[in-house]
Amino acid sequence: MMGPLRIVFGEAFRVFFLAAALFAVAAMVYWEVWLGVHAAGGMVTRTAFAPPPHHWHAHEMIYGYGAAVLGGFFLTAVPNWTGGRTAPLPFLAAVAGLWLLGRAAVWASGGLAPWLVAIADLAFAPALGLRLALMLARRPKPQNLMVLALLAIFWSGNLAVHLDWTGVWPGAAEAGLRAGLLTLTALIAVIGGRIIPAFTTNAMRKAGRETGLPRTGRRLDAPAVAAAILLPLLLLAGAPEPALAGAAGATGLLALLRLAGWRGWWTRHAPILWTMHLAYLLLGLGYLALAAAQLGLASEVGALHLLAIGGIGGMTLTVMTRAGLGHSGRPLAAPPAVVAGFLCLLGATGLRALASFGSLAAYYPATLGAGALWITAFALFLTALWEPLTTARPDRAGG
């Protein structure tokens, strides 16, 4: 019999999906407390971390939660793409330790040298990227190598944040945070554009349907992916707002056109599928909202949270559920708790939009409500996936 820790650290999806969900709850609980104090008329005058609180919040959601999901997904998916072996337990324990070291360093940054915080936090992505590069070298397909390029852009965004925090590049954190978020959405455009129509096609064929299957093709896919990747690069390059608006608008329009051909309505009775389609819809709408914000027609903060909560949060929740169930040998049926959690994320998306687009009086109640729903969503995920992620596959229960 394998011990619980050996099981958890034995496969990437287990350790990183658990870490992502636990961190999603813990980091948001702290943010709720901080906001709650200010909503009540008080003020938090001292924090353990050095950056402004809103920078800490954004950074840890993007480069903390987001990075953990990337680690779990790619260290699980890439061996399947290449036919290679999965990462061994010592490597998974070491790279998970690097991720945790980064979270601890950023949290305690108020008492640490900024360069030391930067080194600790920036170590995870290169370690992950090196492992992925070694695996992808077995079958170096361009569409898979794109993952390494996006991981490099993601790391570059985090580097820009730390260059600001160390005083080397003042003001760079805003661009670095936005670039990191938009790199995550670009990864969803790339990976979601593969798996959503593929999973939907498989389900339709399993149901006996061979006509009216999801439509895919380079005519839409290539420009959609290119536009999504271009956007964070433009941000890091300091492109003017009209250029950002054009790139965001094109990305959103192309995302919605792709989605229209993926037969989302057919999946309405399969939560493990329609949650992906709906998250991708919110992604497309978020890009369009961002384009409007760059033209001064909408709230940029509202647009970014539409992308972050609805697009990234919704897609990662459902992908972690599907991968967690499938790779742990459980049936591919979304547990009711996860469906409820996804609906909580939809509610959180709406409330956070209200906080940004509504009246000033609605800001704190709506923002606190959105945070509470986010916490509930990932608590429900942990309730439903704890056993699959922490126990051996049923067909390997003997060890």
Side-chain angles (χ1 to χ4, degrees):
M1 296 289 289
M2 291 191 292
L5 282 179
R6 189 170 185 83
I7 292 172
V8 169
F9 284 93
E11 295 178 281
F13 73 92
R14 297 180 185 275
V15 59
F16 281 111
F17 289 172
L18 282 172
L22 288 168
F23 188 73
V25 172
M28 190 59 73
V29 165
Y30 176 82
W31 186 239
E32 287 280 274
V33 170
W34 189 89
L35 283 175
V37 169
H38 286 259
M43 181 173 291
V44 179
T45 57
R46 295 186 63 182
T47 58
F49 46 83
H54 68 286
H55 276 192
W56 175 86
H57 166 66
H59 183 273
E60 292 306 278
M61 288 294 100
I62 296 165
Y63 296 110
Y65 169 77
V69 176
L70 293 184
F73 179 81
F74 285 124
L75 288 173
T76 302
V78 171
N80 289 336
W81 298 349
T82 63
R85 294 182 178 181
T86 58
L89 186 149
F91 172 82
L92 290 179
V95 78
L98 285 178
W99 175 85
L100 186 59
L101 177 66
R103 310 287 58 75
V106 173
W107 173 258
S109 57
L112 298 173
W115 62 267
L116 187 61
V117 176
I119 290 173
D121 188 43
L122 291 168
F124 171 75
L128 173 63
L130 178 60
R131 177 70 191 186
L132 296 180
L134 292 173
M135 290 190 287
L136 289 169
R138 294 171 55 90
R139 296 180 183 177
K141 296 181 180 179
Q143 64 268 34
N144 293 340
L145 293 175
M146 191 185 306
V147 167
L148 296 178
L150 282 163
L151 190 61
I153 298 171
F154 186 71
W155 183 86
S156 298
N158 199 12
L159 175 63
V161 174
H162 283 285
L163 288 176
D164 183 346
W165 291 354
T166 55
V168 175
W169 187 6
E174 295 292 340
L177 293 170
R178 284 160 173 76
L181 187 148
L182 291 171
T183 305
L184 291 177
T185 58
L187 281 162
I188 292 174
V190 173
I191 305 300
R194 297 185 201 176
I195 65 175
I196 297 173
F199 291 162
T200 304
T201 297
N202 293 342
M204 294 175 79
R205 284 179 170 160
K206 187 175 180 180
R209 180 165 176 170
E210 293 293 336
T211 59
L213 299 176
R215 299 191 306 269
T216 59
R218 291 187 177 181
R219 184 173 297 180
L220 278 179
D221 292 349
V225 167
I229 295 174
L230 176 63
L231 191 51
L233 291 175
L234 289 174
L235 260 168
L236 288 173
E241 292 178 347
L244 296 174
T251 306
L253 180 60
L254 289 166
L256 296 179
L257 289 174
R258 294 174 90 192
L259 181 64
W262 292 346
R263 306 295 187 240
W265 181 250
W266 186 89
T267 70
R268 64 191 181 277
H269 301 302
I272 202 74
L273 291 173
W274 66 251
T275 48
M276 289 186 179
H277 285 262
L278 190 50
Y280 205 88
L281 172 64
L282 294 173
L283 192 81
L285 294 176
Y287 276 123
L288 294 180
L290 183 60
Q294 295 301 319
L295 297 175
L297 303 175
S299 164
E300 185 190 27
V301 172
L304 292 172
H305 279 89
L306 178 55
L307 288 167
I309 303 173
I312 297 172
M315 186 63 74
T316 53
L317 184 77
T318 190
V319 168
M320 288 195 297
T321 299
R322 185 182 183 100
L325 293 173
H327 287 281
S328 65
R330 271 70 174 187
L332 284 178
V338 173
V339 179
F342 187 87
L343 295 176
C344 285
L345 286 182
L346 293 183
T349 304
L351 282 176
R352 194 59 186 80
L354 176 63
S356 295
F357 299 114
S359 66
L360 186 61
Y363 175 78
Y364 278 121
T367 303
L368 288 167
L373 287 174
W374 172 278
I375 292 167
T376 303
F378 285 94
L380 288 169
F381 169 85
L382 287 166
T383 299
L385 272 292
W386 188 266
E387 182 179 357
L389 293 177
T390 59
T391 60
R393 289 174 60 103
D395 55 353
R396 301 177 191 167

